[in-house]
Amino acid sequence: MSGKKTCSKCGLELDLSEFSFRSKANGTYRAQCKTCTRGAVRIEKTCEVCGKAFAATTKTGDAKKYCSRECSRAASYEALQSKRAVERDEKLSRLSSQRQQNQEAHPNVFEEFKDLPDSQKEALAQGNKFYFSGFFCEKGHLAPRNAKSRICLACSQERSRLLAAELKADPVRYAAHRKASDARKKHKREIDPEWREQ
């Protein structure tokens, strides 16, 4: 059943869907609309995103700030982007000050690796195998890192020494390791003529 009815409290002519039934059997509606029945007052608010006026009630208060779901999503996205930008700026400033402290504490290390790129991205762009970020690794080394794997060179050398010591202690494992290594080299010689020449 479609039609219009005037609310006895707010005086607005509204659609019948805005009114509750008094008696479903008789099809009669309450005199006040659903909003007025809840004790709220209809007000007009301005959307914080698009600036369009939209209908709201005093019951919603400050909770309803946007005229549509799209505007709400747009506001959430903007808030998230600004939050991320602030976090990114804070992180960059923190890293910059940390690198400065490392440089002041270890000037000889920074002098030794000054020719290397500062980041993995730069190293890969220049075709360099290593880069020096100026930060300590997880194990406390201030050393260059591999551009492809980002592994600290000092950690890599440490692992190699440990593996060599373990292999020397176990002759069977050492023989298997040598055999696998020789097979890898042979395969590389077969498929890579440049490596074969070297």
Side-chain angles (χ1 to χ4, degrees), residues 103-119:
Q103 192 168 3
E104 288 168 7
H106 307 279
N108 55 342
V109 178
F110 276 79
E111 185 63 33
E112 186 183 346
F113 303 117
K114 68 179 179 182
D115 297 333
L116 290 175
D118 290 343
S119 68

Side-chain angles (χ1 to χ4, degrees), residues 98 101-103 105-106 110 132-143 145 152:
Q98 190 180 350
Q101 287 172 0
N102 291 346
Q103 192 168 3
H106 307 279
F110 276 79
F132 181 66
S133 63
F135 299 106
F136 286 95
C137 75
E138 292 172 358
K139 293 190 177 178
H141 302 128
L142 189 61
R145 292 170 182 256
C152 164

Side-chain angles (χ1 to χ4, degrees), residues 180-192:
S181 177
D182 290 343
R184 277 196 301 274
K185 285 176 186 173
K186 184 181 177 184
H187 178 67
K188 196 159 188 180
R189 271 198 305 274
E190 288 169 0
I191 63 166
D192 191 350

Side-chain angles (χ1 to χ4, degrees), residues 2 68 125 148 159 167 175 190:
S2 61
S68 65
K148 287 185 179 175
R159 264 200 298 275
L167 291 172
E190 288 169 0

